[in-house]
């Protein structure tokens, strides 16, 4: 790969800044030519983009789409913009990396995926956890047949602290905002599609989250097409930090991973044995996975190969999340085929 891919990036918030920094500092095969953000005239964005060496910034994303040198766009704006931006980028013939979720509505996602198909461009969805060194090792052990046929998938996914209430109100709720990563991880590890979901949820962390119409604690049971069963447990607040562990149990054994810690030092005294807490949150814990997923996208565009996680995956995770919402509301197991 001698060619350098010119990218346009849309959205310079939390995740857009992270991807932009990774691309400019750590991915020599790609370069950002234009950044678009509706707040691009604010000094904090202007100065940050200039320091990073991004040549042009604009408030209008259409500038990226009409620039013939730009081969692909990275969509990092708020969720409600993703589907329309995917459609516009596909029609402009640009390959697309889009943050999760594609949209909160399955119908809108299907329309966006149709535009991608018609334009024959590549689409990768930001399920970064598939590129995490721990979870990937678990997946590789399963693929190598070390634990036999997967029978149980267990995912623990707990945040260190809830997001701001303003974020909660527009996020689509716990299942579509947070558990969506776990739904994708469950499919990834099981190597099979989820066919039915049963969800229990509660407000145990902050009553204000309940007042905003959301939950902060949940257990979701999944049934897979291959007969395997999965359990995901979520909390918006773990007192000891970001808790991210998975296990696959199978006919020949089990494979599990542990949390990453800043160091592996363990202090043993008469009072007890103490190690470090997990790395604080997703920026610290999953940073390497964000670099890996973007490298994989750039490589797919430059070599013409398929992206490792695409539109179908983006749709499935939203269908599972919607089934979980329905299950919670109706207090019964819900089949994925009931969701449209
Ligand atoms: N993969 C992950 O782990 C992960 C982590 C965080 C966020 N996300 C996803 O990334 C997306 C952005 O989240 P965030 O936390 O960075 O949000 P944010 O609010 O910090 O940033 C969004 C940015 O997009 C800009 N924007 C909004 N509409 C725009 C438009 N039409 N054109 C150009 N710019 C526009 C806003 O001005 C803002 O700067 C969300 O969909 C979220 O679900 C994914």
């Amino acid at each position: 790969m001698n060619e350098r891919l010119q990218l346009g990036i849309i959205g310079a918030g939390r995740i857009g800044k992270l991807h932009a920094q990774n691309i400019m500092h750590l991915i020599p095969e790609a370069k950002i030519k234009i950044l678009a953000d509706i707040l691009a005239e604010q000094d904090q964005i202007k100065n940050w983009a200039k320091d990073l060496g991004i040549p042009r910034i604009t408030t209008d994303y259409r500038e990226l789409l009409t620039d013939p040198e730009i081969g692909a766009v990275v969509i990092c704006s708020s969720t409600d913009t993703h589907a329309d931006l995917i459609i516009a980028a596909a029609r402009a013939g640009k390959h697309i990396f889009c943050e999760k979720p594609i949209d909160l509505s399955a119908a809108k996602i299907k329309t966006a995926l149709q535009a991608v198909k018609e334009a024959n461009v590549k689409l990768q969805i930001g399920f970064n956890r598939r590129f995490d060194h721990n979870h990937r090792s678990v997946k590789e052990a399963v693929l190598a047949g070390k634990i036999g046929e997967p029978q149980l998938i267990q995912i623990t996914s707990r945040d260190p602290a809830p997001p701001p209430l303003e974020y909660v109100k527009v996020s689509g709720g716990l299942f579509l905002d947070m558990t969506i990563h776990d739904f994708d991880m469950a499919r990834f590890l099981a190597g099979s599609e989820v066919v039915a979901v049963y969800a229990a949820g509660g407000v145990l962390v902050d009553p204000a989250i309940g007042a905003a119409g959301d939950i902060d604690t949940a257990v979701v049971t999944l049934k897979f097409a291959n007969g395997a069963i999965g359990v995901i447990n979520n909390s918006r607040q773990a007192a000891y930090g970001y808790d991210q562990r998975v296990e696959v149990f199978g006919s020949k054994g089990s494979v599990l991973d542990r949390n990453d810690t800043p160091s592996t030092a363990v202090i043993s005294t008469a009072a007890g044995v103490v190690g470090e807490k997990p790395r604080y949150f997703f920026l610290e814990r999953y940073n390497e996975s964000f670099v890996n997923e973007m490298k994989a996208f750039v490589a797919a565009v430059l070599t013409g190969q398929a992206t490792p996680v695409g539109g179908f995956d983006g749709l499935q995770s939203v269908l599972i999340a919607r089934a979980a919402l329905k299950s919670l509301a109706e207090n019964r197991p819900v089949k994925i085929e009931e969701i449209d």
Side-chain angles (χ1 to χ4, degrees), residues 10-16 36-39 76-79 81-82 99-101 126 128 181 282 290:
I10 306 175
R14 278 189 314 170
I15 201 76
D37 193 298
I38 45 174
L39 304 178
C76 302
S77 42
S78 13
T79 299
T81 65
H82 293 179
E99 263 309 334
K100 49 57 59 178
N128 58 293
H181 277 292
F282 70 92
F290 290 116

Side-chain angles (χ1 to χ4, degrees), residues 40-59:
E41 272 155 13
Q42 284 188 356
D43 283 345
Q44 61 94 1
I45 294 188
K46 257 200 261 180
N47 295 339
W48 165 85
K50 196 169 158 229
D51 288 350
L52 200 57
I54 297 176
R56 163 126 194 92
I57 70 166
T58 171
T59 52

Side-chain angles (χ1 to χ4, degrees), residues 241-243 259-263 277-281 284-286:
Y242 197 36
D243 195 357
N259 283 310
D260 273 352
T261 50
S263 86
K277 291 192 289 190
R279 288 187 188 280
Y280 180 65
F281 209 173
E284 295 82 7
R285 169 66 181 79
Y286 284 123

Side-chain angles (χ1 to χ4, degrees), residues 182-203:
D182 308 313
F183 294 140
D184 182 66
M185 181 55 54
R187 295 177 56 244
F188 179 60
L189 294 176
S192 180
E193 294 306 334
V194 172
V195 291
V197 174
Y198 185 43
V203 181

Side-chain angles (χ1 to χ4, degrees), residues 150-151 192 223-229:
Q151 295 170 343
S192 180
K223 282 186 128 182
F224 294 90
N226 66 1
I229 301 166

